[in-house]
Amino acid sequence: MIENEMSNPTFKERMNERLAVWYKGQDPHPDPIKQKRRKFLASLVNKGVMSRYIEAMDIPLPETFADVAKLDEVNFSNLPNRVVIKPNNNADSKGVILFDGEYNLMNGEAVAISDRKAYVQSAWDKDGIFSKPGTRIIVEEFLQDYDSAFKIFFF
């Protein structure tokens, strides 16, 4: 790494450092109250913890169809055509799959509804999703906002 890169860490490096300090307790804050707050905030990266936090504030959330430890526990045949399947403990959309009929909207791949389980298993094996201890599978309602006045311009 060149000197400039060492003095300017990437966003991902900064986030990993923050997680190490806040979530994993490395270099704890000398003030125990502030350290407790750090750990709480870092725990919100876990989607199950975040959901409970949001529900306590009486904010509506998408319907949860499953929150399970193993993919075999998900009843894929009873899921709606539009559904979100995601791990509980990843950031930056890693492992998130948005099924809309026979398409994964995250990457545009066609997936037969009958092949969804195998598709999720294969994708998550490739990305190492199940290698993180305590990984759970969350399956929830796919909600989509649409505002025709909102546009994103690309240059």
Side-chain angles (χ1 to χ4, degrees):
M1 212 182 271
I2 61 175
E3 181 62 34
N4 190 27
E5 289 177 345
M6 292 181 77
S7 61
N8 294 313
T10 66
F11 178 76
K12 185 168 181 74
E13 289 168 336
R14 291 193 315 267
M15 293 306 294
N16 286 338
E17 181 182 336
R18 181 177 291 171
L19 282 174
V21 170
W22 288 25
Y23 192 59
K24 298 176 182 166
Q26 297 172 8
D27 189 27
H29 196 282
D31 180 339
I33 293 172
K34 288 186 178 177
Q35 180 61 19
K36 182 177 179 182
R37 179 76 177 156
R38 276 182 170 182
K39 289 191 92 147
F40 168 72
L41 290 173
S43 74
L44 296 179
V45 76
N46 182 297
K47 293 166 185 67
V49 173
M50 176 60 91
S51 292
R52 288 188 294 279
Y53 179 71
I54 291 172
E55 286 171 348
M57 294 187 294
D58 204 28
I59 297 173
L61 291 168
E63 179 182 353
T64 300
F65 301 119
D67 182 346
V68 297
K70 296 180 181 171
L71 206 52
D72 287 336
E73 298 175 65
V74 176
N75 187 345
F76 279 85
S77 62
N78 284 346
L79 295 178
N81 283 339
R82 293 173 51 90
V83 67
V84 178
I85 302 176
K86 59 189 178 183
N88 69 321
N89 57 357
N90 273 328
D92 67 22
S93 302
K94 186 173 182 182
V96 175
I97 298 173
L98 304 177
F99 283 123
D100 187 1
E102 294 195 348
Y103 291 95
N104 174 5
L105 297 182
M106 293 298 284
N107 60 17
E109 290 181 348
V111 181
I113 292 174
S114 61
D115 294 337
R116 284 180 172 181
K117 179 181 176 184
Y119 178 85
V120 173
Q121 183 73 56
S122 175
W124 285 13
D125 285 346
K126 184 177 81 177
D127 288 340
I129 301 296
F130 291 115
S131 66
K132 285 177 96 172
T135 297
R136 294 185 62 80
I137 297 109
I138 298 174
V139 182
E140 64 187 17
E141 179 182 17
F142 181 167
L143 301 177
Q144 184 174 353
D145 288 337
Y146 177 74
D147 183 346
S148 61
F150 181 75
K151 295 183 181 3
I152 299 174
F153 295 95
F154 294 92
F155 299 97

